Amino acid sequence: MIGFSSVAKRYSGGLEVIRDVSFSIAAGELVFVTGRSGAGKTTLFKLIAAVERATSGTVLVNGQNVGVLKRAAVPYLRRNLGLVFQDQKLLYDRSVFDNVMLPLAFSDFSFREAARRARAALDKVELLPRERARPIQLSGGEQQRLAIARAVVNRPSILIADEPTANLDAASAERIIELFLSFNQVGVTVLIATHDAQLVARLGRRTLRLEQGRLAEDIAGAAG
């Protein structure tokens, strides 16, 4: 499903943010990625999504070598990825419904089918009654749930979330985590970057801990 083999990422000036990282994640796993700010968590996710390319080593996603994908092939890779980054990039001049419809704009679905899928995604995150609202009218937790609805509207096999509960109150954060657990229960592979050590300990899932760009620990989960 996802494999890293001796992966490194260096930026101009020689800054190395990922260093000799190797791991594999099987289909259907839920894995936490932890580490201090600057440890390389966000870059790791960007390598999976081909937002960034590795300087050396191999990144495999669903059997595809991400490093050799042509630019035209990247959108097809991302159709099987649901991405929730810290910068949600919600469109504040459009409705909640329109935001979720956006990933389906270049699909082969009819408008009727696309709208059905968008409303199903909104219903999953309990935002269907707010479909005509603008994102600016939503709370922080609701905006995060909107970003998740947009990420899963294509029904991806892999869902990646970078600090999805940051800056949320405890109740909103718990609601977000329950959503990710529900997707994982139906077979979606889920990767979550988080600073929340209590959350990681409570759920007892596999954890990859990064330290200065290296994989310091790969801790097996106690809950499957």
Side-chain angles (χ1 to χ4, degrees):
M1 178 62 71
I2 298 173
F4 275 49
S5 179
S6 302
V7 173
K9 174 62 181 178
R10 286 184 297 276
Y11 290 102
S12 58
L15 177 64
E16 192 172 39
V17 290
I18 295 291
R19 307 177 184 185
D20 192 28
V21 169
S22 298
F23 63 85
S24 61
I25 296 174
E29 281 195 82
L30 187 152
V31 179
F32 286 109
V33 180
T34 65
R36 296 180 179 178
S37 295
K41 302 185 298 297
T42 298
T43 299
L44 189 84
F45 285 177
K46 288 182 176 180
L47 291 172
I48 295 172
V51 175
E52 302 280 2
R53 300 293 181 106
T55 306
S56 60
T58 303
V59 178
L60 296 176
V61 178
N62 287 330
Q64 293 181 291
N65 185 339
V66 174
V68 301
L69 284 181
K70 294 182 179 179
R71 186 182 299 271
V74 171
Y76 295 96
L77 169 78
R78 292 180 185 161
R79 284 185 182 181
N80 286 314
L81 300 177
L83 307 174
V84 183
F85 286 114
Q86 292 185 54
D87 179 2
Q88 299 164 339
K89 290 186 168 62
L90 298 175
L91 302 179
Y92 290 98
D93 62 337
R94 302 192 188 183
S95 69
V96 164
F97 174 78
D98 288 341
N99 270 266
V100 179
M101 282 284 282
L102 193 62
L104 301 173
F106 301 102
S107 72
D108 296 327
F109 300 124
S110 65
F111 177 83
R112 182 176 180 179
E113 174 62 15
R116 188 189 69 79
R117 285 177 173 243
R119 290 192 170 100
L122 285 170
D123 188 44
K124 180 67 177 178
V125 301
E126 300 179 355
L127 282 178
L128 188 54
R130 307 295 308 277
E131 68 169 296
R132 294 187 179 182
R134 297 293 176 93
I136 197 68
Q137 297 173 287
L138 304 181
S139 68
E142 288 171 332
Q143 288 186 14
Q144 192 66 293
R145 280 154 47 204
L146 173 56
I148 293 169
R150 187 182 58 190
V152 302
V153 72
N154 268 322
R155 301 177 184 174
S157 59
I158 300 171
L159 183 56
I160 296 171
D162 189 8
E163 300 285 355
T165 60
N167 304 316
L168 297 182
D169 61 77
S172 295
E174 183 65 25
R175 206 168 184 181
I176 296 299
I177 293 303
E178 287 175 357
L179 277 172
F180 288 122
L181 289 172
S182 71
F183 291 125
N184 181 241
Q185 286 168 0
V186 295
V188 178
T189 304
V190 180
L191 283 76
I192 302 173
T194 183
H195 283 97
D196 191 340
Q198 291 184 341
L199 169 67
V200 173
R202 176 167 60 84
L203 292 184
R205 300 300 184 99
R206 181 183 173 193
T207 303
L208 306 177
R209 184 173 68 82
L210 296 178
E211 189 172 298
Q212 295 182 337
R214 297 186 183 276
L215 182 58
E217 288 185 291
D218 184 345
I219 306 165

